[in-house]
Amino acid sequence: MGFRLRLALFFVATLVTVQLLTAGLVYEVTRHALISEGERQLTANARAFEAQMDDISARVAGNVEVLSLDYALRSAIAERDRGTVLSVLRNHGRRVGASRMLLIGLDGRVQADTAGATPPLTRFPFPDLMRSAYMRRTAAVVATDGKAAWVVVVPIYAPQPVAMVVVYVPLDDALLAHLQHLSALPRDLELAAQLTPGHWSVVARGDRHAGMLASLVAAHQPLPRKPRLTVVDGQQYMVLAQPLQQPASSRPVMAVLGYSLDSALQPFRAVGIAWGSLLALGFGVGLLGAWLTARSVARPIESLALAARRIEAGDYGAPPGMPRHDEIGQLAATFASMTAAIRQREQHIRHQAMHDSVTGLPNRAAAELAIDQWLAAAGSAGGAVLMIGLTRVPDIIKTMGHALCDRLMLDASERIRRTAVEAYLARITDMQFMLWLPQADEPAATAVAIHLLDALNLPYQDTDVTIDGLPSIGIALAPADGSDAATLLRHAEVAQFAASGSSAALSIYDAATDPHRPERLSLMGDLREALEGSKLSLHYQPKLDLGQRRIEGVEALVRWQHPRLGWVPPDSFIGMAEDTGNIHRVTRWALATALAQAKRWRARGLPLQVAVNLSARDLEDRELPARIGALLAIYALPPDCLTLEVTERAVISERDTAIQILRRVAEQGIGIAIDDFGVGQATFAYLRHLPVSELKIDQMFIKHLATDRNDQIIVRSLVDLSHRLGYRVTAEGVESQGALDYLAAIGCDCAQGYFIAPALDVDGFAAFLTARGGTVGVRTPP
């Protein structure tokens, strides 16, 4: 037996022995680990089952608490109207999935039972649940008639307790299967109840019938309160019986949870078969490999081939040394020299590709890579990106050339380094630096930014030239403003652009005001298509004349039913329309649509006045008065049928232009109303310069008008002073009869709000007028 054969046999025998020992050890370790995992899972699943029961209790209790506020139910209870009580209980029981609903009097007697199983005035069998319901949400599992149910008790207050509602939610096979589908509960789940003393029965099962309770009963084993390994139908199971929350007088109910050890080991059997196959294959391969590796001639060649493959993959580490002096040794030495030369050139090229040539700082690509690596390693630790821009760089280049600008940027990078020593600094563009502060929150990032502004605001001296860089800094925070470097840099740049136009020269990214968000751009494109395709609509909120108690007019409000997003609130697109200039098109469409509808109403004998809102951008359009006059002429409408509503902010933002435009509009006989009056900056002295005919008091003063004495004083004063100055007054946001009566009592001219009617489409407004008997009035000129 030669050396090569002995080496091969020794290698294979060792391999087989180690594999067999490893297989036995792995099997035992795996089995014990699965037993421990089964105990852990059963304990966790028991807690999860209790938590799900609590969730059901919270959901049902929440729904029943809503029911307890039902005025019809409380009235029926007070009037002892058992039929109405049963109807309300049945309807609500269907909504919460209850099989039975009871109404219990404070004396503990059943007043109503939707199942009809309990005679009236029979005492509720679980008085301890009633007692605890006054202090906290009360729920428990009970077993009755061979079934289990989750009982929730909720008191009804009016405002003192008048009765209690009891909800029976069936704990049946369907509910357990549903809970298993929604969570990680085991498939082996049974609900056991001791319906007769000493005898447990299954009242509900999950989606797999393992027969755990039957096996335990057949083996005369008690239900285990801790995980126990047992045999169920010839298979090994970990079984745990979890007691459920029950009233004192109920029969015991337990949740029996199982963990199949055989099922858990099933995947490893396939691994064992694969291992045996690999062992057989390894026997033959190992024998051949041991024979071949004995030949020492192939070893250096294989080493050089491995080194060549590493170089191909981008690894330029030095190959292992070979202390040989023959031709193979010379080849290995030459190969090592070549590897070192390639490594040096690669490092130089990579440095040039990832660094700025002027400052030597990492460039944008290197910065993104470094930040992404840090975020991946640190998880949710977060950090802050500071985008530092020198806004005068383009002017400096045009005036003094690139050489001076490069010296300025080098000086700025050194100032930033001295100010933020521990931070990661990179040059992103010709006029921007980026500073990465790991684990920094908003206060820490703001403090660093302030120090940087102080350092960069010092003028740069170059021979006889003094230059101010005018720095500005934008801040984006991770992960709130982005979870990757590209997003953070983009958002920090948006904030830096905002900061360059502000006096503070510092801005923190705010997604709500970011005009470059993709969804904002998409929504604006959809808005343009909606305008072109007539997909917008106007709803009309009635305006009630309080003196004559007749509908005087309406306010036209834009509504958008998006084909993909559904209803889009006006606040979501009006502001964007103003920012992008599309508000002019929206206003023109709203004016034309509202006047066309006013024409149709007048043709039907409804001389309603229509109010249309204008934005601040509309008051910059000097062609607006002529455009409105042309629309009135097209529809042959008198000017007094139209009122334009503007906010205080819209008028104040462009005061001189706005006053000129509003005066030209008012000269045509069109009404001007100040919307949301009282919450802006306008005063009565300022309003005297405007051609205003009406003030609309903001809803914040009207919402609690019926009960708030201070709001009553404010509104009375506003109405009185407005009348003395010759303005009509409309109260917005009327939501109660008390507020409406008070406004009428103090002489307020008009009111609008949800108590009168919400904004309605054309058909809904027609139905509203029909319900009021068609009471439409015409404003009498003053």
Side-chain angles (χ1 to χ4, degrees):
M1 183 178 294
F3 169 78
R4 295 182 182 179
L5 182 57
R6 290 197 303 270
L7 178 62
L9 292 178
F10 175 79
F11 177 82
V12 172
T14 303
L15 174 65
V16 172
T17 303
V18 170
Q19 289 291 335
L20 291 175
L21 292 175
T22 302
L25 179 62
V26 167
Y27 176 81
E28 289 300 321
V29 170
T30 301
R31 186 174 183 276
H32 284 86
L34 289 176
I35 291 174
S36 300
E37 176 64 15
E39 294 176 353
R40 186 193 67 79
Q41 284 193 21
L42 285 179
T43 304
N45 288 331
R47 291 195 295 267
F49 186 78
E50 290 183 328
Q52 287 182 320
M53 292 294 101
D54 289 340
D55 289 343
I56 294 175
S57 171
R59 175 178 62 81
V60 174
N63 283 301
V64 175
E65 286 172 359
V66 172
L67 172 65
S68 66
L69 300 177
D70 191 305
Y71 176 78
L73 176 61
R74 290 187 292 180
S75 298
I77 292 173
E79 297 171 2
R80 300 183 182 275
D81 185 356
R82 187 168 178 271
T84 301
V85 170
L86 285 173
S87 176
V88 174
L89 292 179
R90 287 192 185 99
N91 291 335
H92 200 78
R94 284 192 293 269
R95 286 196 293 271
V96 300
S99 62
R100 185 181 182 187
M101 302 279 286
L102 300 180
L103 180 69
I104 309 297
L106 299 181
D107 58 354
R109 297 181 183 275
V110 177
Q111 297 181 359
D113 184 356
T114 60
T118 305
L121 303 182
T122 301
R123 286 195 171 275
F124 182 61
F126 309 112
D128 50 333
L129 295 182
M130 293 182 59
R131 289 191 295 271
S132 61
Y134 292 108
M135 298 176 288
R136 62 183 183 277
R137 186 181 71 242
T138 300
V141 176
V142 302
T144 58
D145 300 327
K147 300 179 181 179
W150 187 255
V151 177
V152 181
V153 182
V154 177
I156 299 177
Y157 295 92
Q160 299 298 322
V162 296
M164 290 191 175
V165 173
V166 179
V167 183
Y168 282 77
V169 178
L171 294 179
D172 52 12
D173 296 357
L175 178 60
L176 293 185
H178 181 65
L179 294 179
Q180 288 174 319
H181 177 71
L182 293 179
S183 64
L185 287 177
R187 295 185 61 191
D188 300 301
L189 176 62
E190 296 177 348
L191 209 61
Q194 200 173 47
L195 300 178
T196 59
H199 179 71
W200 290 92
S201 300
V202 176
V203 294
R205 290 186 176 90
D207 60 356
R208 186 165 67 181
H209 297 175
M212 295 178 293
L213 181 63
S215 298
L216 291 173
V217 172
H220 302 288
Q221 295 181 1
L223 298 185
R225 299 297 183 89
K226 293 183 178 180
R228 181 197 300 165
L229 185 62
T230 186
V231 177
V232 177
D233 289 338
Q235 295 187 355
Q236 290 186 320
Y237 269 77
M238 297 294 300
V239 180
L240 171 65
Q242 176 67 32
L244 301 178
Q245 182 178 352
Q246 297 175 249
S249 55
S250 174
R251 297 183 182 91
V253 180
M254 286 191 176
V256 182
L257 299 93
Y259 175 86
S260 175
L261 189 60
D262 289 347
S263 298
L265 283 171
Q266 186 64 35
F268 295 95
R269 293 191 177 94
V271 174
I273 295 173
W275 170 84
S277 302
L278 289 175
L279 179 62
L281 179 63
F283 183 88
V285 174
L287 182 61
L288 178 61
W291 179 273
L292 295 176
T293 54
R295 299 185 301 175
S296 61
V297 177
R299 292 177 181 174
I301 303 300
E302 291 175 355
S303 179
L304 292 176
L306 179 61
R309 286 194 293 270
R310 289 205 312 269
I311 294 174
E312 181 184 14
D315 181 4
Y316 298 101
M322 295 183 186
R324 300 174 60 135
H325 302 285
D326 55 7
E327 292 81 3
I328 294 178
Q330 296 175 11
L331 176 62
T334 304
F335 194 89
S337 300
M338 180 188 70
T339 303
I342 294 175
R343 180 174 62 250
Q344 292 176 359
R345 286 195 293 271
E346 183 77 13
Q347 290 174 349
H348 180 69
I349 294 172
R350 183 175 300 172
H351 184 273
Q352 287 182 323
M354 304 295 282
H355 289 77
D356 173 52
S357 60
V358 175
T359 61
L361 294 174
N363 58 16
R364 190 184 193 100
E368 289 187 3
L369 180 62
I371 294 174
D372 282 334
Q373 290 175 347
W374 193 95
L375 290 173
S380 60
V385 170
L386 276 65
M387 187 67 67
I388 307 162
L390 301 180
T391 56
R392 294 197 63 195
V393 166
D395 294 335
I396 295 171
I397 294 175
K398 294 175 183 177
T399 306
M400 308 298 295
H402 285 276
L404 178 61
C405 181
D406 289 344
R407 293 194 295 273
L408 170 65
M409 297 302 288
L410 180 61
D411 177 76
S413 67
E414 293 173 352
R415 296 187 192 186
I416 297 172
R417 276 200 188 101
R418 291 193 297 268
T419 305
V421 179
E422 302 296 330
Y424 179 87
L425 178 62
R427 186 178 181 185
I428 302 301
T429 65
D430 290 342
M431 56 185 293
Q432 290 174 316
F433 294 96
M434 186 282 303
L435 199 67
W436 168 245
L437 303 175
Q439 299 181 343
D441 54 7
E442 182 177 331
T446 303
V448 173
I450 293 174
H451 290 307
L452 289 173
L453 288 174
D454 293 339
L456 295 173
N457 274 319
L458 297 175
Y460 168 70
Q461 300 285 342
D462 188 273
T463 60
D464 58 344
V465 178
T466 301
I467 300 174
D468 293 323
L470 294 181
S472 59
I473 299 178
I475 300 174
L477 301 172
D481 298 330
S483 57
D484 60 275
T487 303
L488 288 170
L489 289 175
R490 186 173 69 252
H491 290 169
E493 196 166 12
V494 171
Q496 189 261 320
F497 289 154
S500 63
S502 66
S503 59
L506 175 62
S507 177
I508 298 174
Y509 177 76
D510 183 4
T513 59
D514 184 359
H516 308 288
R517 287 181 297 161
E519 58 269 24
R520 287 174 61 93
L521 298 176
S522 175
L523 197 60
M524 278 300 93
D526 295 344
L527 179 60
R528 286 191 293 270
E529 293 180 4
L531 284 168
E532 294 170 359
S534 300
K535 296 179 181 178
L536 297 179
S537 62
L538 284 183
H539 284 202
Y540 303 90
Q541 186 170 36
K543 186 175 179 181
L544 179 67
D545 187 315
L546 293 176
Q548 301 181 11
R549 294 288 174 158
R550 297 165 68 88
I551 300 302
E552 175 190 278
V554 294
E555 180 180 357
L557 300 170
V558 180
R559 295 294 183 262
W560 184 11
Q561 188 68 26
H562 195 282
R564 178 171 46 87
L565 302 177
W567 185 76
V568 180
D571 293 340
S572 300
F573 65 90
I574 292 298
M576 287 190 293
E578 291 179 337
D579 294 339
T580 57
N582 285 310
I583 192 64
H584 297 302
R585 299 180 62 186
V586 174
T587 301
R588 290 196 292 269
W589 171 86
L591 285 168
T593 305
L595 291 177
Q597 183 59 46
K599 177 70 173 180
R600 288 190 287 270
W601 279 330
R602 285 178 176 261
R604 292 198 293 267
L606 300 175
L608 292 167
Q609 188 184 49
V610 180
V612 179
N613 291 279
L614 298 183
S615 74
R617 288 291 187 92
D618 293 322
L619 296 182
E620 301 171 3
D621 183 8
R622 297 183 180 275
E623 300 298 321
L624 181 65
R627 189 176 293 111
I628 295 174
L631 286 173
L632 290 172
I634 290 173
Y635 293 107
L637 292 172
D640 61 357
C641 77
L642 175 65
T643 297
L644 300 180
E645 295 186 9
V646 295
T647 62
E648 302 168 31
R649 181 184 64 84
V651 177
I652 293 174
S653 61
E654 294 290 338
R655 175 179 174 178
D656 295 335
T657 303
I659 290 176
Q660 293 178 8
I661 292 174
L662 291 177
R663 283 179 177 172
R664 291 170 56 194
V665 170
E667 289 172 357
Q668 300 180 44
I670 299 169
I672 305 295
I674 298 296
D675 198 12
D676 301 334
F677 183 77
V679 296
Q681 303 172 353
T683 63
F684 284 101
Y686 177 75
L687 292 176
R688 294 179 63 188
H689 300 286
L690 299 173
V692 175
S693 58
E694 180 180 3
L695 299 181
K696 303 188 72 174
I697 302 176
D698 188 81
Q699 61 181 347
M700 68 172 292
F701 301 107
I702 308 300
K703 183 175 295 185
H704 305 291
L705 186 62
T707 57
D708 192 314
R709 179 61 179 169
N710 292 329
D711 285 347
Q712 292 176 357
I713 295 173
I714 293 172
V715 172
R716 179 186 288 272
S717 301
L718 288 174
V719 171
D720 182 65
L721 187 55
S722 299
H723 284 166
R724 290 177 181 272
L725 293 173
Y727 301 135
R728 288 175 57 82
V729 182
T730 298
E732 295 181 294
V734 176
E735 297 182 359
S736 66
Q737 183 66 48
L740 192 67
D741 293 339
Y742 181 81
L743 291 168
I746 64 174
C748 184
D749 300 297
C750 296
Q752 64 182 99
Y754 274 77
F755 182 76
I756 301 169
L760 304 167
D761 59 18
V762 175
D763 295 336
F765 183 76
F768 167 78
L769 289 182
T770 301
R772 292 183 57 90
T775 54
V776 175
V778 181
R779 180 192 302 175
T780 303

